[in-house]
Each structure stands twice: as C-alpha cells, then as structure tokens.
Amino acid sequence: MDERYVFKILMLGDAGVGKTCLLQRFVENRFTGNYKCTVGVDSKIRTVEISGHKVKLQIWDTAGEERYRSMMSSYYRHVQGIILVFDTTRRRSYQNVDYWLKEIDKHAATNVRILLVGNKCDAFQGRQVCQQSAAIYAESLGVTYVEASAVTGANVERLFANLAVSIFDTHVERNRPGTVFPAEDKNAVTLKQGTGIRDFCC
C-alpha cells in the first residue's frame, strides 16, 4: 500500500507533564526517565495503518514553558489533531488546560480533533486530579479523555490510535462522497510498533 495521507499532530501542555516521554514511548517504545525540557519544538514520525490505508503521523512535541509560547502560533497551521496533556499528579497543569484550549481556539482550525490526556496515571499515591472529574470535564468540552502512563506504556498506543482514527474519519472519509466502509472496518487501526492498544490503568 502506498502512503497516501500525512496527519500533522501537535502535542500541547505545561512543561514537565510528559509530552516528550509519551511521544518517545509511542515512536520508540521506550522510557528513559531522564527529564530534559523541550526547547522550542521537536518532531517524530510514525506510520500507522487505518482501514487499509497507510497514514504517516507527523507529531510535533512543543515546549510548555512560558518563554517559548509566543513562538508557538505558527505551529498550529495545518494541524489536524492536538494531544493536550496534563499531569495527574500536578493539579496546576490540569487547571492550565483552560489556557491551552484558548490558544487552540485562537490559532487552530475549527475542525481540529482534540484529545485530552492525563499522563502519569501509574502514580496512584501522588494523584491530584480525579479521573471522573477529568472525564466529565472532557465530556463537557466534547472531546475524548484518556489516562496514560509513559512509564508503563499503558494506553499510549490507544491514545494515538484514537486520535488518528478520529482525524481519518473527520478529514478523509467525510470529505470523500460515496465512500462506505463495513461497520466492523470503519474504525479499524493497525499500529506497526508496540504491543497494541491497552485498557485504562486507573
């Protein structure tokens, strides 16, 4: 199969919430545990297969520190999907989701697909954000909420698969009149690396 589609995905959220670690786990299936703040932006690519089509995911990892935020507006251009990450052990990063949503509303296309991700769900004792509250909040926004752990790999495959399928459905299938997929195949996704989609860990 020829590679026909390229989806640009932006990862947003405060500094230190684990955006880089989630991306590293998804692309390389590894976790180093060494924290290094992203300077500006970085990008990685992984190809997935959705409903029989090869799709290249071009994922941009952005710096969450305030001093870099003024340069971020240009990276919202032509973005089809956004992964908005907060740290379940840092309530402040969850409260700042409102700030990032305002930035998305200001700079991104109206039909961009957004996935809210609570990272570090393996850190049970340090949790400061209730899963149910975050899920209710996401539902009020009309976005999907997933909890994940870059440390254990829990739900990392799932969150990227979820967003990729959502983008495919929104930007490809809905813009191709007459295309009909069998019910069992419409959201089929095969990821080329890793161990598959995991259940929620929290």
Side-chain angles (χ1 to χ4, degrees):
M1 289 174 290
D2 294 331
E3 192 172 87
R4 298 183 58 191
Y5 305 108
V6 179
F7 295 162
K8 182 179 177 182
I9 296 172
L10 201 60
M11 299 191 72
L12 298 176
D14 286 3
V17 296
K19 300 185 297 295
T20 300
C21 292
L22 287 170
L23 181 55
Q24 185 179 66
R25 172 65 77 177
F26 178 63
V27 175
E28 303 171 14
N29 195 26
R30 67 187 182 96
F31 176 80
T32 63
N34 298 323
Y35 175 71
K36 185 178 180 181
C37 180
T38 302
V39 178
V41 295
D42 190 14
S43 68
K44 292 184 183 297
I45 291 174
R46 180 170 162 187
T47 299
V48 301
E49 192 175 297
I50 304 175
S51 297
H53 300 279
K54 272 190 177 180
V55 177
K56 180 185 287 186
L57 304 182
Q58 186 180 69
I59 308 164
W60 292 82
D61 178 20
T62 65
E65 290 186 312
E66 190 169 352
R67 57 178 168 160
Y68 295 115
R69 292 179 186 177
S70 61
M71 62 177 284
M72 299 311 305
S73 59
S74 61
Y75 288 94
Y76 288 85
R77 295 172 189 162
H78 309 300
V79 165
Q80 288 92 19
I82 292 176
I83 296 174
L84 179 51
V85 185
F86 69 89
D87 180 349
T88 59
T89 68
R90 284 171 47 202
R91 184 164 183 81
R92 181 66 177 174
S93 69
Y94 176 62
Q95 294 170 334
N96 286 343
V97 165
D98 285 339
Y99 163 81
W100 293 107
L101 288 171
K102 289 176 183 176
E103 289 296 293
I104 292 170
D105 187 56
K106 188 189 304 182
H107 301 295
T110 55
N111 61 347
V112 68
R113 308 307 296 169
I114 303 171
L115 185 69
L116 182 63
V117 176
N119 188 33
K120 305 185 185 179
C121 73
D122 59 293
F124 296 104
Q125 297 191 5
R127 177 181 282 270
Q128 295 182 2
V129 180
C130 172
Q131 181 186 19
Q132 184 178 11
S133 296
I136 292 172
Y137 175 54
E139 185 177 5
S140 73
L141 297 170
V143 303
T144 300
Y145 176 60
V146 176
E147 293 203 339
S149 168
V151 175
T152 67
N155 276 342
V156 174
E157 297 279 337
R158 175 178 180 171
L159 73 91
F160 282 96
N162 184 304
L163 184 61
V165 170
S166 180
I167 295 170
F168 186 86
D169 183 53
T170 300
H171 293 269
V172 178
E173 292 310 320
R174 292 181 184 176
N175 294 320
R176 190 160 57 193
T179 300
V180 178
F181 280 84
E184 66 273 19
D185 290 335
K186 183 176 180 181
N187 291 331
V189 58
T190 303
L191 297 171
K192 298 270 183 192
Q193 302 173 5
T195 57
I197 297 172
R198 297 176 173 86
D199 293 332
F200 280 92
C201 68
C202 302

